[in-house]
């Protein structure tokens, strides 16, 4: 058990030590029109950007990169290791909201980019996969425990105010207007009306061929990453039945 904990602690340190390593000379061929400007870090999951900084989950640490020069991304700091590997990151104002699997949701103060500091942790009942924030409300994709809705107006004391889809595995969540769109694994896409965040109401669903893994909104459209079918684009946002665009 001690060895396991030491391995978890050492992963971010080892990765950080390689940030300044030169790029590999033999990179894979890139599509026409794309050019690699810079690279940093090792195996990572969870990424958010704000201004000239990128906040990236590397193992169980949140790493901060200065990208003011995109050809030379420069690591400027990292958090202490969390209690589980980082799954998703969202930045809103001076805080980072970090979904950390079985360790739940962490909120970090980013006032000093070189020293992201944990100000609170909410131990979710499921497995925190990803999180998004709208105003003072955080929407947590909590894996087997569905969608969790938290009031984060006081970042030091996040408080759950609602939950929904407790019987579904929720992997990702995106907000568009008064709706929350949920990548729901085998259930595809689920839609909740959240004009009153304390009472989310199911507003629609679209069952994809495979498994809904990631979701985003783009104008009047919803885009869903489906494990089998690839990119699924849906319109009629907020209606009882979303329609796939061919």
């Amino acid at each position: 058990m001690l060895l396991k904990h030491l391995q978890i602690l050492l992963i971010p340190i080892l990765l950080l030590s390689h940030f300044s390593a030169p790029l590999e000379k033999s990179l894979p061929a890139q599509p026409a029109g794309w050019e690699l400007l810079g690279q940093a870090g090792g195996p990572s999951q969870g990424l958010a950007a704000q201004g000239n900084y990128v906040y990236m989950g590397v193992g169980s640490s949140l790493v901060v990169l200065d990208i003011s020069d995109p050809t030379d991304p420069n690591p400027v700091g990292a958090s202490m290791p969390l209690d589980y590997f980082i799954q998703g990151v969202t930045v809103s104002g001076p805080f980072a909201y970090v979904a950390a699997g079985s360790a739940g949701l962490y909120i970090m103060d980013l006032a000093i980019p070189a020293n992201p500091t944990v100000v609170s942790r909410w131990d979710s009942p499921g497995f925190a996969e990803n999180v998004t924030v709208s105003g003072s409300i955080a929407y947590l994709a909590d894996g087997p425990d569905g969608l969790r809705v938290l009031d984060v107006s006081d970042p030091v004391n996040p408080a759950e105010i609602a939950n929904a889809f407790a019987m579904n595995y929720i992997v990702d969540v995106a907000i568009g207007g008064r709706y929350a769109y949920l990548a729901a694994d085998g259930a595809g896409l689920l839609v909740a009306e959240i004009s009153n965040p304390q009472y989310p109401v199911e507003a629609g669903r679209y069952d994809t061929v495979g498994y809904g893994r990631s979701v985003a909104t783009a104008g009047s459209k919803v885009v869903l990453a489906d494990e089998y079918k690839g990119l699924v684009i849906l319109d009629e946002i907020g209606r009882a039945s979303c329609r796939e665009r061919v």
Side-chain angles (χ1 to χ4, degrees), residues 152-170:
V152 292
S153 55
D154 179 4
V156 178
N157 296 294
E160 183 176 18
I161 57 174
N163 62 78
F165 301 110
M167 300 302 292
N168 294 101
Y169 196 105
I170 306 301

Side-chain angles (χ1 to χ4, degrees), residues 95-121:
F95 296 100
Y97 300 81
V98 179
S102 59
L105 176 69
Y106 285 85
I107 301 178
M108 295 189 183
D109 187 345
L110 304 176
I112 304 175
N115 185 32
T117 305
V118 173
V119 297
S120 64
R121 171 177 171 257

Side-chain angles (χ1 to χ4, degrees), residues 172-213:
D172 194 15
V173 54
I175 305 299
R178 59 193 183 97
Y179 296 97
Y181 300 93
L182 313 175
D185 204 56
L189 176 75
L190 300 176
V191 185
E193 203 275 336
I194 53 168
S195 57
N196 183 347
Q198 293 182 322
Y199 298 99
V201 178
E202 182 173 350
R205 61 176 59 214
Y206 182 86
D207 192 2
T208 59
V209 173
Y211 296 85
R213 296 303 191 192

Side-chain angles (χ1 to χ4, degrees), residues 8 26 30 105 161 179 220:
I8 293 174
S26 56
Q30 300 298 320
L105 176 69
I161 57 174
Y179 296 97
S220 62

